């Protein structure tokens, strides 16, 4: 029975299908999942023209939207699947294949009693709904990560990328349909907002929703579903230049954190500068920032101390909690690391914050006390990324504290279960009369899926 | 400023205080947290009479409720802090102290570049709200686990245990108040339903809510908050006796799973029996179950095959998804492991399910395919418990799939952050012109909190 996209029945049918597919994928062989990823890679080559044509249509429509002021230039750029990005997307799938199988790893093993061994083993989460922004390459990335980790997935992309997404999802579904061990229905593209609404009430069929986008959007999703949600929201990231900073590093990190990817969530929005080093540092960095078209909004002390060095404007209270995603940087002078820590823990979105200092004691204090997913010492905030962290690829960057935090790769798409292999033990053996104590001895053993293991 | 319990202001003030306390606890020394737990242990001794008097008042009031039919006998039993249970509570605190510090462990280390090392280290979740049932010992257990793991906690217990909880929370707060390094406000007892309502909207101050109780209650909490919730709800647990079962083990496990703790969530509610072994198995087990006052509800095949062996009544469709928490067992005959797996994956609450068989291939298939937090082979479902698993103590048993699954101990109360220690690296170093590749080399290193580490 086929029902129309956008109808409640359609979504229900696909979600229940995804649940069935997930149960099968959970016990699928790692080799089968890799073979399916290879098939996707092959299809990305053979269907390249068709995919790029669909993308070109989206980009054309996007240009019109930009002209009408309904779409920002940086978003248009993210929509495009040009030559380099297509290649990068292929490479990303390859890197996911190269990752070790995240499933059925023994995370912990404990001998509870003679002939009673407990294993904590990694398993897929199950069915995951992902709502992502206008980047068609994100569809391929999320699908590849979900497949490798044995999860079924329902996807909803930005409407600006509708043509690209439709062709990509079709190509991926077709490519994997003939691979042995891969169940039908593991991937569904949702095309309408109605589908998303339909998804939110399927708590028996969907285990996790990952909204990528603004905090308001994530908040809307959380308020409208009982399904667990992991927020991948805004990045209000900070660089703190301490009194003991090496000025070369401070300039390089400040500039890179702001301008190397201005529209990314790990770009810095606020620069905190220790008063003692502020003047010499501003003398070196303000020109550099302005040369890159960065507008600087300073607090009172910054304007006083550095007003002669550039076209600074006053910062407002609201700036401290604004994610610009643009060539704007708010700047504040502080009297030490503790003031910087307090400011960051108050205003940060707990994404990524960095200290520049040669003083190791101050650095350790900052790394301990900053309550963020990624805390850096002498490194650009722009390094907060799943690929850069060596996770292969990322499903997003979590600003929540549950399950996974920071860049989320394959491991973040797994949970675990406890496997207990006994020889007839009961609870009464350990708490009845007579009883024996548990051994609770850590085991250096790996749980085997094989009967002879 | 002191405001009254039950007012929105009171809860707001305590939640913000908990957030501040959590930031301090996160950087507290493990020794300080253990010293605070020792102080609790000491206070449990010195304040013993006062605590037991408060508990006696609750039990008296509870008895009246039982007589009026407003409270069940098993719940009254759980309310009592009698001699043995008081001792067990002390032992539990001792076992939490004995656990290794769950904070600042290096979970993974990767060398990204020369002089650029990434560490994933364990940190507390932050502020946790726990709503638990009428067991005053649970208050001590949850408080001890939260303190050891560096989390601030807001607690709400069952109203039947109000006197016991008030005294216990006061004793714990007083005992830890004088311990150096332990911030005020790390523990708050909420006394009213208004407090719980007030908690649900504090998403800036509370990171996780753990409701222990019925699925309906957990559902209510989820529907009324944007704060992440991990469900610790019902246990519809199964024992499957396969054709290749050892009948001695099968009888022992079936009886123990049902009767050794009939009101616990890991007690079994449904028994599935392979048709080939059903008659000889029923001949041995039905008498045993009935001797323990277990009422048996059988499917049609069971009634036909075993109707002569006991006072069996027919099972209804609703039984398969009912958590009895009582001396009732529903029984179904199946034609093999696959039918058992399908039944369990459909009706189970994904808590704990066990297979009894001597066939290792069937056992492995069951352990792989059953989609539950705990999957057992030749062991009683009643072994699903944090203490028995060697976790020291448990905050509950999670039936969700996010963050933690199954018995949740100290580790389940932590998350992690990424610490990146560099020497001036920027994103442009790796993706600009010229650029160098990331090393992504696994490191056998532990992140040190010390400046000279």
């Amino acid at each position: 029975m086929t029902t129309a996209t956008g109808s409640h029945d359609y979504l229900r049918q696909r979600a229940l299908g995804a649940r069935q597919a997930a149960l099968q994928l959970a016990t699928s062989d790692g080799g089968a999942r890799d073979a399916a990823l290879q098939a996707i890679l092959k299809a990305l080559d053979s269907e390249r023209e068709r995919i790029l044509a669909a993308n070109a249509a989206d980009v054309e429509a996007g240009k019109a939207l930009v002209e009408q002021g309904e779409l920002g230039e940086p978003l248009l750029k993210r929509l495009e699947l040009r030559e380099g990005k297509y290649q990068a997307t292929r490479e990303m799938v390859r890197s996911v294949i190269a990752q070790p199988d995240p499933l059925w790893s023994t995370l912990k093993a404990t001998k509870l009693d003679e002939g009673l061994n407990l294993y904590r083993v990694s398993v897929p989460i199950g069915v995951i709904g992902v709502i992502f922004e206008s980047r068609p390459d994100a569809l391929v990335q999320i699908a590849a990560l979900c497949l490798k980790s044995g999860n079924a997935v329902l996807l909803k992309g930005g409407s600006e990328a509708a043509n690209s997404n439709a062709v990509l999802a079709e190509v991926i579904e077709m490519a994997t349909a003939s691979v042995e061990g891969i169940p039908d229905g593991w991937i569904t593209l949702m095309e309408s907002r109605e589908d998303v609404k339909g998804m939110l009430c399927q708590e028996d069929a969907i285990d996790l929703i990952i909204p990528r986008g603004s905090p308001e959007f994530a908040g809307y999703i959380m308020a409208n579903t009982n399904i667990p949600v992991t927020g991948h929201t805004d990045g209000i990231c900070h660089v703190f230049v301490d009194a003991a900073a090496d000025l070369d590093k401070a300039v390089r990190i400040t500039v890179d954190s702001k301008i190397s990817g201005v529209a990314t969530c790990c770009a810095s929005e606020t620069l905190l500068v220790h008063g003692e080093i502020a003047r010499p540092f501003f003398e070196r960095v303000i020109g550099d920032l302005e040369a890159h078209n960065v507008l600087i909004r300073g607090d009172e002390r910054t304007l006083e101390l550095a007003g002669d060095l550039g076209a600074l404007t006053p910062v407002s209270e609201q700036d401290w909690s604004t994610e610009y995603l643009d060539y704007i940087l708010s700047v504040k002078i502080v009297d030490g690391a503790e003031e910087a820590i307090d400011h960051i823990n108050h205003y940060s979105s707990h994404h990524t914050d960095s200290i520049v200092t040669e003083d190791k004691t101050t650095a350790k204090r900052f790394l301990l006390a900053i309550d963020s997913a990624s805390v850096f010492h002498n490194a650009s905030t722009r390094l907060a990324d799943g690929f850069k962290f060596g996770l292969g690829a990322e499903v997003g960057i979590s600003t929540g504290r549950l399950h996974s935090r920071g860049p989320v790769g394959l491991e973040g798409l797994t949970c675990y279960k406890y496997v207990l292999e006994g020889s007839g033990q009961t609870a009464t053996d350990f708490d009845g009369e007579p009883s024996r104590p548990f051994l609770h001895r850590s085991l250096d053993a790996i749980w085997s899926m094989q009967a002879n293991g």
Side-chain angles (χ1 to χ4, degrees), chain A residues 97 99 128 187 237 314 386 404:
Chain A
I97 297 172
Q99 295 280 316
I128 300 178
I187 182 170
C237 303
S404 42

Side-chain angles (χ1 to χ4, degrees), chain A residues 129-266:
Chain A
V130 186
I131 311 163
F132 59 100
E133 68 285 24
S134 304
R135 280 175 51 196
D137 52 319
L139 184 148
V140 183
Q141 182 160 344
I142 294 162
L145 287 166
C146 286
L147 181 56
K148 177 86 182 187
S149 55
N151 291 287
V153 63
L154 295 106
L155 292 150
K156 170 75 175 74
S159 57
E160 301 84 4
N163 290 300
S164 316
N165 289 338
V167 173
L168 281 168
E170 189 202 321
V171 164
I172 290 172
E173 194 173 8
M174 296 289 286
T176 55
S178 54
V179 179
E180 205 181 315
I182 303 301
D184 284 348
W186 74 270
I187 182 170
T188 290
L189 182 69
M190 297 179 287
E191 305 197 4
S192 70
R193 289 194 187 175
E194 286 309 305
D195 282 343
V196 172
K197 274 194 191 161
M199 176 172 74
L200 299 181
C201 55
Q202 315 270 347
E203 59 225 65
D204 56 341
I206 299 171
D207 300 303
L208 170 65
I209 296 181
I210 303 179
R212 311 202 326 180
S214 70
E216 292 72 32
F217 175 62
Y220 164 80
I221 297 290
M222 285 183 196
N224 287 283
T225 186
N226 281 0
I227 302 171
V229 175
T230 58
H232 293 244
T233 64
D234 57 344
I236 301 173
C237 303
H238 297 73
V239 171
F240 167 50
V241 176
D242 180 48
D246 172 305
L247 282 190
D248 280 344
K249 292 178 189 169
V251 170
R252 214 160 54 223
I253 288 169
T254 300
V255 174
D256 186 81
S257 291
K258 184 68 240 178
I259 63 108
S260 72
V262 75
T264 63
C265 57
C266 57

Side-chain angles (χ1 to χ4, degrees), chain A residues 21-81:
Chain A
L23 285 172
Q24 285 181 60
L25 267 183
T27 61
S28 67
D29 189 67
R33 283 176 272 120
D34 282 347
L37 287 162
Q38 292 285 3
I40 292 173
L41 208 52
K42 223 172 127 188
L44 284 177
D45 288 338
S46 59
E47 301 293 323
R48 180 195 186 107
E49 293 314 314
R50 194 152 71 92
I51 294 164
L52 287 178
N55 185 243
D58 285 332
V59 171
E60 274 313 301
K63 278 182 186 160
L65 289 175
V66 170
E67 276 165 26
Q68 292 155 33
E70 287 174 26
L71 192 72
E73 192 76 54
L75 287 178
L76 183 64
K77 213 169 143 190
R78 296 176 87 172
L79 182 59
E80 250 178 283
L81 263 185

Side-chain angles (χ1 to χ4, degrees), chain A residues 112-116 422-440:
Chain A
L112 303 190
D113 185 31
E114 289 307 327
L116 185 68
S423 40
Q425 282 86 352
T426 63
T428 313
D429 292 339
F430 304 96
D431 58 18
E433 298 279 348
S435 70
R436 55 183 185 274
F438 285 100
L439 299 177
H440 291 158

Side-chain angles (χ1 to χ4, degrees), chain A residues 255-373:
Chain A
V255 174
D256 186 81
S257 291
K258 184 68 240 178
I259 63 108
S260 72
V262 75
T264 63
C265 57
C266 57
S268 74
E269 310 294 3
T270 297
L271 172 68
L272 302 172
V273 184
H274 195 298
E276 285 176 21
I277 206 175
R279 181 69 202 186
F281 174 60
F282 284 144
E283 283 173 1
R284 293 198 44 191
V285 82
I286 287 180
D288 261 25
L289 287 168
E290 294 198 335
H292 285 100
N293 301 315
V294 177
L295 302 173
I296 297 170
R297 299 188 184 167
D299 73 334
E300 223 162 280
R301 287 176 72 183
T302 302
L303 294 181
E304 233 164 72
L305 194 77
D308 58 319
L309 299 173
L312 281 56
T313 57
V315 75
S316 73
E317 171 65 22
Q318 208 191 322
D319 279 297
W320 306 127
S321 42
T322 300
E323 184 182 32
Y324 303 120
L325 295 174
D326 208 342
Y327 291 90
I328 306 171
L329 184 66
S330 54
V331 181
K332 180 186 173 78
I333 291 180
V334 295
D335 285 324
E338 293 307 319
E339 191 184 341
I341 289 167
D342 287 346
H343 179 97
I344 294 171
N345 280 342
H346 186 78
Y347 292 105
S348 162
S349 64
H350 311 292
H351 188 297
T352 302
D353 302 291
S354 182
I355 183 172
V356 186
T357 187
E358 298 302 304
D359 181 327
K360 285 189 175 179
T361 304
T362 308
K364 292 288 182 181
R365 169 69 189 150
F366 183 92
L367 297 173
L368 276 168
I370 292 293
D371 182 26
S372 294

